Amino acid sequence: LLLLLLAPWGPRVSGEPRSARRRWPVPYRRFDFRPKTDPYCQARYTFCPTGSAIPLMKEEDVIEVYRLQAPVWEFKYGDLLGHLKIMHDAVGFKSSLTGKNYTMEWYELFQLGNCTFPHLRPGMDAPFWCNQGAACFYEGIDDAHWKANGTLVLVTTISGTMFNEMAQWVKYDNETGIYYETWTVQASPDKKSTVWFDSYECSKFILRTYQKLADLGAVFKKIQTNYTSIILFSGEPIYLGNETSIFGPQGNKTLAAAIRDFYNPFKPHQSVREFFVDLFKIIDRVILNHQFYLFYNLEYWFLPMKSPYLKIIYEEVPLPVGSKASFGV
């Protein structure tokens, strides 16, 4: 299990200074270590149940690298979410020396809903977030899972040395990039529009991994590669503050109440009637009143929403070109 070490204290931010606040997109912050998870946060499906440590490959090994993609929750709903182009990405490896296959992916510890919206717990003023994401590495590639409704295709080959260097980078990336960010937020659907915030999810991990391999010398095949993004459309975001400045003893009670009120309809629902009542509330606030409160880098932002408000896209992102001497196909 590639969660590495879960530290017993909260993380210290290693991020941008406040003077850089208006630089867009807001840089994703990295942290010094991963905080211990709260027992309140529970996942319906166990994170990385068969995970293992990344093996040390022999330098002379030649390792095939595969692009893996399948609809989100394909194991339960088949191709249902694939029709909406809501896809999950991973990367596979095959050792020529041992013949063993491996899968590496990055996903939420407590499922997507908990990473996207908080819990409003009794007796707690601030929204409570169950949000962490991490890398998972395990032996084997489930061919049926990836081939049935998705993709399993060779994209490059690398040496054992390159694999081992990538493994060290994965350790760093996993220890410092600990929070899942669902939303990409941008000014308009135009491809050249300003991006206010970038997402940090499974596909971004795969893209970072590919880029690292390219920088190490891997040469990728010229094939089309598409990835899913969930985009919110907003005017320029307004910075509101962090948990202490908003919900603390000297906080802004009016703003605190507004944020809690906004997140309330996104709670888990016990009945169909509750769901539709809250759905109308969400439509009223996001579309009719152009409001959205975003939690990013442990800070709150107000998004003045605008049409088309939300869009799921499945766009091409080319495989990378590296900077070192090449190795591979």
Side-chain angles (χ1 to χ4, degrees):
L1 176 63
L2 192 60
L3 268 177
L4 308 176
L5 295 177
L6 296 184
W9 303 283
R12 186 170 72 252
V13 174
S14 300
E16 296 291 321
R18 288 199 174 273
S19 59
R21 176 68 64 197
R22 292 297 177 184
R23 196 178 76 190
W24 306 110
V26 172
Y28 176 86
R29 287 183 180 176
R30 290 188 173 271
F31 296 82
D32 287 346
F33 52 84
R34 184 179 293 275
K36 183 178 180 180
T37 57
D38 192 293
Y40 177 86
C41 300
Q42 298 293 324
R44 178 173 295 183
Y45 300 101
T46 303
F47 174 84
C48 201
T50 61
S52 61
I54 300 180
L56 182 67
M57 300 294 190
K58 292 186 176 180
E59 294 181 0
E60 65 272 21
D61 202 348
V62 176
I63 298 163
E64 296 176 337
V65 182
Y66 291 88
R67 177 175 184 250
L68 309 178
Q69 188 176 71
V72 170
W73 285 35
E74 188 270 346
F75 68 93
K76 186 172 184 179
Y77 298 116
D79 194 31
L80 178 62
L81 294 178
H83 292 296
L84 300 174
K85 298 300 182 183
I86 302 177
M87 309 295 283
H88 174 66
D89 298 273
V91 59
F93 304 96
K94 181 178 180 179
S95 165
S96 298
L97 287 180
T98 66
K100 290 184 177 181
N101 297 325
Y102 303 93
T103 300
M104 184 170 72
E105 51 192 324
W106 196 95
Y107 58 101
E108 325 89 45
L109 271 65
F110 310 110
Q111 272 76 71
L112 181 60
N114 282 321
C115 290
T116 309
F117 299 107
H119 294 260
L120 302 179
R121 297 176 64 180
M124 296 181 65
D125 290 332
F128 183 83
W129 293 86
C130 292
N131 180 7
Q132 281 194 40
C136 175
F137 188 95
Y138 53 94
E139 186 172 340
I141 296 176
D142 185 351
D143 288 17
H145 170 71
W146 301 106
K147 285 183 177 179
N149 298 303
T151 300
L152 194 163
V153 61
L154 178 70
V155 291
T156 190
T157 58
I158 60 175
S159 68
T161 298
M162 292 162 63
F163 179 92
N164 295 335
E165 290 183 10
M166 178 209 70
Q168 289 301 310
W169 168 83
V170 169
K171 182 176 185 295
Y172 158 78
D173 187 79
N174 198 56
E175 287 177 334
T176 61
I178 58 181
Y179 292 113
Y180 190 101
E181 300 290 354
T182 302
W183 311 108
T184 294
V185 185
Q186 63 187 56
S188 77
D190 185 83
K191 287 190 175 181
K192 295 183 179 180
S193 71
T194 301
V195 175
W196 309 119
F197 301 92
D198 208 351
S199 59
Y200 196 88
E201 25 74 4
C202 66
S203 68
K204 297 301 172 65
F205 173 75
I206 300 306
L207 289 169
R208 292 195 304 277
T209 301
Y210 288 161
Q211 186 61 60
K212 181 62 179 180
L213 291 176
D215 291 342
L216 290 171
V219 177
F220 286 86
K221 290 178 175 288
K222 297 185 184 300
I223 59 174
Q224 183 170 332
T225 53
N226 290 59
Y227 302 90
T228 300
S229 293
I230 304 177
I231 302 178
L232 298 177
F233 297 101
S234 164
E236 184 168 357
I238 300 169
Y239 175 69
L240 300 176
N242 58 27
E243 180 177 309
T244 301
S245 67
I246 297 172
F247 299 96
Q250 306 301 319
N252 185 326
K253 295 187 181 300
T254 301
L255 177 58
I259 293 174
R260 288 180 59 89
D261 187 57
F262 172 80
Y263 283 130
N264 186 62
F266 294 97
K267 63 183 181 295
H269 296 90
Q270 302 299 319
S271 70
V272 174
R273 181 182 179 280
E274 285 181 336
F275 170 78
F276 280 106
V277 168
D278 283 338
L279 178 61
F280 284 121
K281 291 180 182 178
I282 293 169
I283 293 172
D284 176 70
R285 291 167 192 179
V286 176
I287 297 178
L288 300 182
N289 289 297
H290 311 288
Q291 299 176 349
F292 195 98
Y293 289 94
L294 177 72
F295 189 61
Y296 193 92
N297 286 343
L298 305 183
E299 297 175 320
Y300 288 91
W301 297 76
F302 177 78
L303 305 182
M305 299 293 288
K306 61 183 185 180
S307 180
Y309 306 103
L310 182 147
K311 188 176 183 180
I312 298 172
I313 65 170
Y314 187 65
E315 65 178 356
E316 181 180 7
V317 180
L319 287 164
V321 176
S323 56
K324 284 191 175 183
S326 65
F327 178 95
V329 294

